[in-house]
């Protein structure tokens, strides 16, 4: 009988890619979804679907029954919320409940999905796993939530012997970004000609299926308590937008905007969002983050796990092709 593997967040962008990769390798995949989660990303994978919520320990305990491995990918991934503390609570308490349920069920190994959001960018260099944020240096509720959740996992490994390896994806792009993520929204806006300008910033782009493969490598070869960046290529926002424009047969944006005048726009967008409850396209936190180039190195994962990532242009092309088929680019 195939080993049973539980995947939280399996309806999401990274979680569904991980579930697909596990099913393709022959694992018996149990996808944990909330009752309100969309099912499109887990259709045709051939996995068992169990309703549960990462914050609800009894539901996670039910999902863990008979499981050998856990991939905890679920997260509240929002860069804005009417109550920012809600993001921190969800990710911290969801991680606590899920890790406790896995520990009590005797799960043999856990791959915990953190984020490069917990790492401090280094000006002029690609940061590695040693460049760590703390609760005072991090910007925004989402990044804070990932820092405190990651520290909790590290504490449980050190004090309780939790069998967890930590992976930190950079900025995933590619197919099945149904929500879409903040980066997916940039791709859609740029491809439809709604981003005529840009700010001077940078990010590390990686194909979502390479991130998923990195998760499986962490299961096979990752050491307990160690963390591995799963990234791709360092790219400026201007370069990224130029590639998207080429794929969409549009002119690339040429206007570089100073950040200062954008803050009133961000505050206005956040004010509107408080009434509509829809995430604003621009936020003050995002502008503060954009002062830093989010460049990261996956050298440790390459050395220790055999991790590899394809060129970022392939990820953008796959994302655009999927967004086009799914009707996002009309």
């Amino acid at each position: 009988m195939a080993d049973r593997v539980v995947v939280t967040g399996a309806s999401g962008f990274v979680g569904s890619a991980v579930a697909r990769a596990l099913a393709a390798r022959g694992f018996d995949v149990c996808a944990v979804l909330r009752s309100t989660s969309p099912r499109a990303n887990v259709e045709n994978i051939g996995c068992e679907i169990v309703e549960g919520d990462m914050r609800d320990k009894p539901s996670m305990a039910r999902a863990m029954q008979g499981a050998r491995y856990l991939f905890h990918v679920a997260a509240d991934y929002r860069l804005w919320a009417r109550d920012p503390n809600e993001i921190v609570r969800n990710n911290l308490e969801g991680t606590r409940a899920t890790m406790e349920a896995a520990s009590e069920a005797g799960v043999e190994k856990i791959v915990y999905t953190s984020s490069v959001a917990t790492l401090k960018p280094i000006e002029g260099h690609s940061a590695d796993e040693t460049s760590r944020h703390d609760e005072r240096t991090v910007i925004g509720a989402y990044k804070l939530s990932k820092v405190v959740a990651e520290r909790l996992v590290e504490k449980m490994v050190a004090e309780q012997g939790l069998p967890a390896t930590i992976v930190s994806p950079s900025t995933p792009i590619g197919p099945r970004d149904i929500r879409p993520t903040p980066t997916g929204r940039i791709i859609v806006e740029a491809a439809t000609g709604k981003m005529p300008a840009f700010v001077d910033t940078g990010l590390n782009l990686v194909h979502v299926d390479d991130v998923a493969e990195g998760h499986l490598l962490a299961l096979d070869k990752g050491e307990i308590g160690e963390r591995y960046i799963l990234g791709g290529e360092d790219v400026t926002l201007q370069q990224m937008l130029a590639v998207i424009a080429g794929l969409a047969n549009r002119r690339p944006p040429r206007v570089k905007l100073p950040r200062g005048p954008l803050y009133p726009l961000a505050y206005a967008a956040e004010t509107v969002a408080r009434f509509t409850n829809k995430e604003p396209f621009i936020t003050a936190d995002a502008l503060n983050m954009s002062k830093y180039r989010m460049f990261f190195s996956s050298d440790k994962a390459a050395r220790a796990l055999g991790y590899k990532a394809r060129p970022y242009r392939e990820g953008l092309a796959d994302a655009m092709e999927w967004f086009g088929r799914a009707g996002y680019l009309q």
Side-chain angles (χ1 to χ4, degrees):
M1 224 171 102
D3 290 323
R4 178 177 168 82
V5 185
V6 173
V7 182
T8 67
S11 66
F13 185 36
V14 174
S16 65
V18 170
R20 283 171 186 277
L22 287 164
R25 202 195 270 193
F27 284 107
D28 177 12
V29 179
C30 167
V32 181
L33 309 182
R34 287 178 299 165
S35 59
T36 55
S37 296
R39 301 291 196 264
N41 271 354
V42 288
E43 287 171 356
N44 308 318
I45 295 180
C47 60
E48 176 192 358
I49 294 176
V50 173
E51 284 195 4
D53 188 308
M54 67 174 179
R55 299 164 299 184
D56 178 53
K57 189 173 167 185
S59 71
M60 296 312 300
R62 286 193 297 275
M64 290 315 158
Q65 288 176 4
R68 185 173 180 187
Y69 305 122
L70 164 68
F71 286 79
H72 181 42
V73 191
D76 183 346
Y77 182 22
R78 290 179 290 167
L79 298 185
W80 179 90
R82 186 180 279 155
D83 174 13
N85 289 325
E86 185 182 46
I87 299 173
V88 180
R89 282 195 306 272
N90 285 345
N91 284 332
L92 178 60
E93 298 311 320
T95 298
R96 190 192 313 278
T98 302
M99 294 298 138
E100 287 177 353
S103 182
E104 289 165 17
V107 168
E108 186 180 313
K109 188 167 184 182
I110 298 163
V111 177
Y112 168 67
T113 308
S114 184
S115 166
V116 293
T118 68
L119 300 173
K120 216 186 275 188
I122 302 171
E123 194 57 43
H125 296 282
S126 299
D128 65 13
E129 290 82 356
T130 62
S131 181
R132 291 158 68 92
H133 268 305
D134 60 35
E135 293 178 40
R136 293 160 308 188
T137 61
V138 78
I139 297 170
Y142 173 70
K143 290 193 172 195
L144 174 61
S145 78
K146 295 304 284 186
V147 167
V148 295
E150 184 182 274
R151 297 296 170 269
L152 172 68
V153 172
E154 290 173 337
K155 188 167 186 266
M156 292 179 77
V157 170
E159 296 180 2
Q160 301 170 29
L162 186 78
T165 296
I166 300 170
V167 293
S168 300
S170 59
T171 306
I173 51 174
R176 302 178 301 277
D177 188 359
I178 56 169
R179 194 170 154 217
T181 60
T183 317
R185 289 171 72 190
I186 290 173
I187 295 170
V188 170
E189 295 285 313
T192 51
K194 294 175 188 162
M195 281 193 73
F198 58 91
V199 294
D200 179 19
T201 190
L203 58 174
N204 183 283
L205 296 177
V206 59
H207 197 294
V208 70
D209 291 337
D210 293 333
V211 171
E213 185 56 34
H215 278 69
L216 271 65
L217 289 168
L219 177 69
D220 294 339
K221 303 176 186 176
E223 291 186 30
I224 302 303
E226 285 293 330
R227 47 184 307 185
Y228 306 93
I229 294 172
L230 304 178
E233 291 182 89
D234 292 333
V235 183
T236 67
L237 180 58
Q238 184 179 11
Q239 288 172 317
M240 175 185 172
L241 295 177
V243 172
I244 295 167
L247 291 166
N249 294 317
R250 291 183 178 276
R251 274 202 195 138
R254 305 253 186 239
V255 179
K256 183 159 73 174
L257 295 173
R259 278 177 198 83
L262 296 175
Y263 279 94
L265 186 63
Y267 295 134
E270 289 180 35
T271 301
V272 170
R274 287 184 205 289
F275 293 99
T276 63
N277 216 25
K278 287 184 180 170
E279 198 169 323
F281 187 68
I282 184 170
T283 66
D285 279 347
L287 285 173
N288 289 334
M289 288 178 213
S290 75
K291 294 174 186 172
Y292 306 94
R293 292 191 172 192
M294 307 290 180
F295 289 171
F296 298 98
S297 167
S298 303
D299 286 352
K300 180 179 176 182
R303 282 193 314 271
L305 308 179
Y307 172 75
K308 294 195 292 278
R310 72 198 78 180
Y312 80 93
R313 285 176 174 80
E314 292 183 26
L316 286 175
D318 285 354
M320 295 260 298
E321 196 267 336
W322 186 86
F323 282 132
R325 273 192 295 111
Y328 289 72
L329 305 183
Q330 291 167 4

